[in-house]
Amino acid sequence: MKIIITKNYEELSKVAANEMAETIKSNPKAILGLATGGSPIGMYKELIRMNKEGEIDFSTITTVNLDEYIGLSGEHTQSYRYFMNDNLFNHINIDKKNTYVPNGLAENIEEECKNYDAKIADLGGTDVQLLGIGNNGHIAFNEPDQELVAGTHLTGLTEDTIKANARFFDSIDEVPKTALTMGLGGIMKSKKIIVIASGEGKAEAVKAMVNGKISTNMPASMLQMHRDVVVIIDEAAAKLL
Ligand code: F6R
């Protein structure tokens, strides 16, 4: 793992955007694996700026997102499809037909998962996968457990995650309890992985991801087995390293 420690969130966002931009510049047809949540918002703003200033072009780029809540349509303001449109896709020159987010309203969930993995395989896998990390060490919605699943699958969210995500909803009762998520197999197959984390609340999870034993109870620790991971964290998140 290559670790980059930045002064603050702003610098983290710029460094992460530059990493992503490198992939886009070196391969105009790159397949980007993207994440939602608070961590990547600054990075997406920076990518939007670069695109508007003509530094990077998204016209032939494809994106694949990690996860989506079950039961929320793409128009729901808390859905991850809405988040991606609002924080990135609506502001760059990407063709939305080339942006994939699992469908949380799919009638046949098993089929949706199978098709999502087939789509990723069809695209040749992701060239780079962006990840945030949960306070409990989850990546995408692969929560700490005795076993982890390789493919895209339906999962329940832990109390920790529901609490952490309640900040985006009017009340905790509105947070969906289940989601579709890419599995560890899909994530680990990416050619390169970028993990971003900011703030003291992430320090324990970051320490376990970087230095801890590899365990399904700490899904992010699995990343130690990937050959090209860049961890970009601010000083607060790096506090326990
Ligand atoms: C989001 C995702 C999650 C988040 C994680 C951190 O697509 O897959 O694993 O990356 O929960 O969330 P934030 O960035 O909000 O702290």
Side-chain angles (χ1 to χ4, degrees), residues 34-41 65-68 80 83-84 130-136 138-142 161 164-165 167-168 181 196-198 202:
L34 298 179
T36 61
S39 308
I41 289 178
N65 261 77
L66 286 170
D67 38 23
E68 179 61 284
Y80 285 172
F83 175 101
M84 289 310 302
L130 175 73
L131 296 176
I133 176 172
N135 298 342
N136 64 358
H138 74 212
I139 47 178
F141 276 135
N142 296 279
T161 300
N165 289 4
R167 70 191 194 276
F168 300 114
T181 183
I196 54 175
S198 156
K202 296 286 170 75

Side-chain angles (χ1 to χ4, degrees), residues 26-154:
S26 67
N27 178 7
K29 293 196 170 159
I31 315 298
L32 310 179
L34 298 179
T36 61
S39 308
I41 289 178
M43 186 197 107
Y44 290 150
K45 284 206 174 106
E46 193 57 21
L47 289 176
I48 292 167
R49 183 195 64 73
M50 288 177 173
N51 182 237
K52 289 210 185 308
E53 292 176 7
E55 221 179 295
I56 49 173
D57 176 21
F58 283 91
S59 61
T60 51
I61 292 288
T62 299
T63 66
V64 181
N65 261 77
L66 286 170
D67 38 23
E68 179 61 284
Y69 289 120
I70 289 287
L72 301 191
S73 82
E75 278 83 54
H76 190 290
T77 54
Q78 294 310 330
S79 74
Y80 285 172
R81 160 54 75 182
Y82 187 95
F83 175 101
M84 289 310 302
N85 288 345
D86 197 38
N87 285 288
L88 186 65
F89 302 149
N90 286 346
H91 313 285
I92 58 175
N93 69 331
I94 200 162
D95 183 343
K96 284 222 187 93
K97 283 204 294 297
N98 298 331
T99 67
Y100 297 92
V101 180
N103 177 9
L105 288 185
E107 274 179 28
N108 186 335
I109 295 291
E110 217 171 291
E111 189 102 334
E112 172 66 14
C113 294
K114 240 194 251 160
N115 290 343
Y116 204 67
D117 286 338
K119 184 75 225 170
I120 298 169
D122 225 41
L123 292 166
T126 50
D127 293 296
V128 60
Q129 176 65 62
L130 175 73
L131 296 176
I133 176 172
N135 298 342
N136 64 358
H138 74 212
I139 47 178
F141 276 135
N142 296 279
E143 300 280 23
D145 208 337
Q146 280 173 343
E147 337 182 286
L148 295 173
V149 181
T152 299
H153 60 282
L154 173 70

Side-chain angles (χ1 to χ4, degrees), residues 1 5 16 25 29 32 55 67 79 85 98 104 106 123 125 129 140 154 157 171 194 200-201 211 216 218 225 235:
M1 281 181 171
I5 300 174
K25 284 178 195 167
K29 293 196 170 159
L32 310 179
E55 221 179 295
D67 38 23
S79 74
N85 288 345
N98 298 331
L123 292 166
Q129 176 65 62
L154 173 70
L157 306 185
S171 88
I194 300 174
E200 224 177 302
N211 292 326
T216 56
M218 178 47 65
M225 293 189 284
E235 281 176 1

